[in-house]
Amino acid sequence: MPNSNAKLRSNNRGGQEAGRRELVSRSLQSAQHCLEDQDFGTAYAHYLLVLNLAPELKGSIKETFQFTLFKWAEELDSLARIQDLFNCYEQALELYPNDEVICNSMGEHLFRMGFRDEAAGYFHKAVKLNPDFADAKENFYRVANWLVERWHFIMLNDTKRNLTYLKAIQNAVQSGCKSVLDIGTGTGILSMFAKKAGASFVYACELSKTMYELARDVVAANNMEREIKLLHLKSLDLEIPKHIPERVSLVVTETVDAGLFGEGIVESLIHAWEHLLLQPK
């Protein structure tokens, strides 16, 4: 009796496997026919079914799946079905989370729709996945020109200004300020000044996704990614101990242009003084 039960289960598994293979084969054929008829939406649905039933085929049908996705996305875009378009890319990235071509294409759609900060994130990921991907690099630099304000470059090349900040931070740290919060860190330069000056704990917050990613790269390039905690959020949203463990002894910021009003830096500094900075005894 036990042997017959085992044989029955084996036959059931064999039947299920044969049924899966048959469904995959038919879906692949249907997808191909739909592509020939330029019915990209139905073809995309068939490929989704195939990839979910037979993930072992991901490598062999990847390029055809990409082509189908991009063609279907173009149709959805022309029909202003934006949410459906994003849903398709989310499904595709679940199947191919490390595909630089899909990431780059998603970024291009976001950029055309005006979501430049979000687009930069996808372009950046594509370049990270494949540093030699020329299209992604060009796209990332293009969107960076939109998002990185020109005064960042001016300030970074202002040696006198930077040395003044460095000396002021060094004096503060050497006077006993061992925990530092950098508001609107930008490229992360003030945070690195604080760490090099000897601060024990350095926290930096940045609202812009693009600048946050840039700061991460700059900090990592200087081997300080484990010594500076970067936070992608507005300083007004910082909470203790959720984001930083305790009040800091020094707050630094370089938002001293039109951003003084546009970024609410006055409110940020008041918030930092009341909630994040150690009060004098």
mmCIF file with all atom_site columns, all heavy atoms in Angstrom, residues 1 12 32 75 110 217 248 276:
data_model
loop_
_atom_site.group_PDB
_atom_site.id
_atom_site.type_symbol
_atom_site.label_atom_id
_atom_site.label_alt_id
_atom_site.label_comp_id
_atom_site.label_asym_id
_atom_site.label_entity_id
_atom_site.label_seq_id
_atom_site.pdbx_PDB_ins_code
_atom_site.Cartn_x
_atom_site.Cartn_y
_atom_site.Cartn_z
_atom_site.occupancy
_atom_site.B_iso_or_equiv
_atom_site.pdbx_formal_charge
_atom_site.auth_seq_id
_atom_site.auth_comp_id
_atom_site.auth_asym_id
_atom_site.auth_atom_id
_atom_site.pdbx_PDB_model_num
ATOM 1  N N   . MET A 1 1   ? 0.825  -1.228 0.000   1.00 0.00 ? 1   MET A N   1
ATOM 2  C CA  . MET A 1 1   ? 0.000  0.000  0.000   1.00 0.00 ? 1   MET A CA  1
ATOM 3  C C   . MET A 1 1   ? 0.854  1.271  0.000   1.00 0.00 ? 1   MET A C   1
ATOM 4  O O   . MET A 1 1   ? 0.615  2.187  -0.772  1.00 0.00 ? 1   MET A O   1
ATOM 5  C CB  . MET A 1 1   ? -0.935 -0.013 1.217   1.00 0.00 ? 1   MET A CB  1
ATOM 6  C CG  . MET A 1 1   ? -2.006 1.065  1.179   1.00 0.00 ? 1   MET A CG  1
ATOM 7  S SD  . MET A 1 1   ? -3.223 0.756  -0.109  1.00 0.00 ? 1   MET A SD  1
ATOM 8  C CE  . MET A 1 1   ? -4.420 1.988  0.300   1.00 0.00 ? 1   MET A CE  1
ATOM 9  N N   . ASN A 1 12  ? 1.327  12.030 -10.046 1.00 0.00 ? 12  ASN A N   1
ATOM 10 C CA  . ASN A 1 12  ? 0.694  13.354 -9.990  1.00 0.00 ? 12  ASN A CA  1
ATOM 11 C C   . ASN A 1 12  ? 1.703  14.459 -10.273 1.00 0.00 ? 12  ASN A C   1
ATOM 12 O O   . ASN A 1 12  ? 1.428  15.407 -11.009 1.00 0.00 ? 12  ASN A O   1
ATOM 13 C CB  . ASN A 1 12  ? 0.044  13.577 -8.625  1.00 0.00 ? 12  ASN A CB  1
ATOM 14 C CG  . ASN A 1 12  ? -1.233 12.770 -8.446  1.00 0.00 ? 12  ASN A CG  1
ATOM 15 O OD1 . ASN A 1 12  ? -1.866 12.375 -9.433  1.00 0.00 ? 12  ASN A OD1 1
ATOM 16 N ND2 . ASN A 1 12  ? -1.628 12.511 -7.204  1.00 0.00 ? 12  ASN A ND2 1
ATOM 17 N N   . GLN A 1 32  ? 4.674  34.874 -29.292 1.00 0.00 ? 32  GLN A N   1
ATOM 18 C CA  . GLN A 1 32  ? 5.322  35.121 -30.579 1.00 0.00 ? 32  GLN A CA  1
ATOM 19 C C   . GLN A 1 32  ? 4.307  35.561 -31.634 1.00 0.00 ? 32  GLN A C   1
ATOM 20 O O   . GLN A 1 32  ? 4.555  36.495 -32.399 1.00 0.00 ? 32  GLN A O   1
ATOM 21 C CB  . GLN A 1 32  ? 6.049  33.861 -31.038 1.00 0.00 ? 32  GLN A CB  1
ATOM 22 C CG  . GLN A 1 32  ? 6.922  34.070 -32.262 1.00 0.00 ? 32  GLN A CG  1
ATOM 23 C CD  . GLN A 1 32  ? 7.996  35.123 -32.037 1.00 0.00 ? 32  GLN A CD  1
ATOM 24 O OE1 . GLN A 1 32  ? 8.657  35.142 -31.002 1.00 0.00 ? 32  GLN A OE1 1
ATOM 25 N NE2 . GLN A 1 32  ? 8.161  36.021 -33.002 1.00 0.00 ? 32  GLN A NE2 1
ATOM 26 N N   . GLU A 1 75  ? 3.057  52.204 -25.962 1.00 0.00 ? 75  GLU A N   1
ATOM 27 C CA  . GLU A 1 75  ? 1.608  52.301 -26.196 1.00 0.00 ? 75  GLU A CA  1
ATOM 28 C C   . GLU A 1 75  ? 0.897  52.876 -24.974 1.00 0.00 ? 75  GLU A C   1
ATOM 29 O O   . GLU A 1 75  ? 0.020  53.745 -25.108 1.00 0.00 ? 75  GLU A O   1
ATOM 30 C CB  . GLU A 1 75  ? 1.042  50.920 -26.529 1.00 0.00 ? 75  GLU A CB  1
ATOM 31 C CG  . GLU A 1 75  ? 1.328  50.444 -27.931 1.00 0.00 ? 75  GLU A CG  1
ATOM 32 C CD  . GLU A 1 75  ? 0.500  49.219 -28.285 1.00 0.00 ? 75  GLU A CD  1
ATOM 33 O OE1 . GLU A 1 75  ? -0.566 49.021 -27.669 1.00 0.00 ? 75  GLU A OE1 1
ATOM 34 O OE2 . GLU A 1 75  ? 0.927  48.455 -29.175 1.00 0.00 ? 75  GLU A OE2 1
ATOM 35 N N   . LEU A 1 110 ? 10.258 58.261 -16.631 1.00 0.00 ? 110 LEU A N   1
ATOM 36 C CA  . LEU A 1 110 ? 10.078 59.179 -15.506 1.00 0.00 ? 110 LEU A CA  1
ATOM 37 C C   . LEU A 1 110 ? 10.573 60.578 -15.855 1.00 0.00 ? 110 LEU A C   1
ATOM 38 O O   . LEU A 1 110 ? 9.934  61.582 -15.517 1.00 0.00 ? 110 LEU A O   1
ATOM 39 C CB  . LEU A 1 110 ? 10.835 58.647 -14.279 1.00 0.00 ? 110 LEU A CB  1
ATOM 40 C CG  . LEU A 1 110 ? 10.198 57.442 -13.579 1.00 0.00 ? 110 LEU A CG  1
ATOM 41 C CD1 . LEU A 1 110 ? 11.201 56.796 -12.627 1.00 0.00 ? 110 LEU A CD1 1
ATOM 42 C CD2 . LEU A 1 110 ? 8.948  57.860 -12.814 1.00 0.00 ? 110 LEU A CD2 1
ATOM 43 N N   . ASP A 1 217 ? 28.100 58.379 -2.844  1.00 0.00 ? 217 ASP A N   1
ATOM 44 C CA  . ASP A 1 217 ? 29.241 58.026 -3.687  1.00 0.00 ? 217 ASP A CA  1
ATOM 45 C C   . ASP A 1 217 ? 30.504 58.761 -3.237  1.00 0.00 ? 217 ASP A C   1
ATOM 46 O O   . ASP A 1 217 ? 31.593 58.179 -3.177  1.00 0.00 ? 217 ASP A O   1
ATOM 47 C CB  . ASP A 1 217 ? 28.946 58.364 -5.150  1.00 0.00 ? 217 ASP A CB  1
ATOM 48 C CG  . ASP A 1 217 ? 27.971 57.384 -5.789  1.00 0.00 ? 217 ASP A CG  1
ATOM 49 O OD1 . ASP A 1 217 ? 27.735 56.309 -5.199  1.00 0.00 ? 217 ASP A OD1 1
ATOM 50 O OD2 . ASP A 1 217 ? 27.433 57.696 -6.867  1.00 0.00 ? 217 ASP A OD2 1
ATOM 51 N N   . VAL A 1 248 ? 22.738 66.117 19.176  1.00 0.00 ? 248 VAL A N   1
ATOM 52 C CA  . VAL A 1 248 ? 24.125 66.348 18.764  1.00 0.00 ? 248 VAL A CA  1
ATOM 53 C C   . VAL A 1 248 ? 24.663 67.607 19.445  1.00 0.00 ? 248 VAL A C   1
ATOM 54 O O   . VAL A 1 248 ? 23.896 68.423 19.968  1.00 0.00 ? 248 VAL A O   1
ATOM 55 C CB  . VAL A 1 248 ? 24.233 66.492 17.236  1.00 0.00 ? 248 VAL A CB  1
ATOM 56 C CG1 . VAL A 1 248 ? 23.800 65.208 16.547  1.00 0.00 ? 248 VAL A CG1 1
ATOM 57 C CG2 . VAL A 1 248 ? 23.405 67.678 16.730  1.00 0.00 ? 248 VAL A CG2 1
ATOM 58 N N   . LEU A 1 276 ? 17.228 68.799 18.375  1.00 0.00 ? 276 LEU A N   1
ATOM 59 C CA  . LEU A 1 276 ? 18.340 67.910 17.999  1.00 0.00 ? 276 LEU A CA  1
ATOM 60 C C   . LEU A 1 276 ? 19.679 68.318 18.603  1.00 0.00 ? 276 LEU A C   1
ATOM 61 O O   . LEU A 1 276 ? 20.607 67.506 18.644  1.00 0.00 ? 276 LEU A O   1
ATOM 62 C CB  . LEU A 1 276 ? 18.492 67.867 16.470  1.00 0.00 ? 276 LEU A CB  1
ATOM 63 C CG  . LEU A 1 276 ? 17.218 67.517 15.686  1.00 0.00 ? 276 LEU A CG  1
ATOM 64 C CD1 . LEU A 1 276 ? 17.455 67.685 14.193  1.00 0.00 ? 276 LEU A CD1 1
ATOM 65 C CD2 . LEU A 1 276 ? 16.780 66.098 15.989  1.00 0.00 ? 276 LEU A CD2 1
#
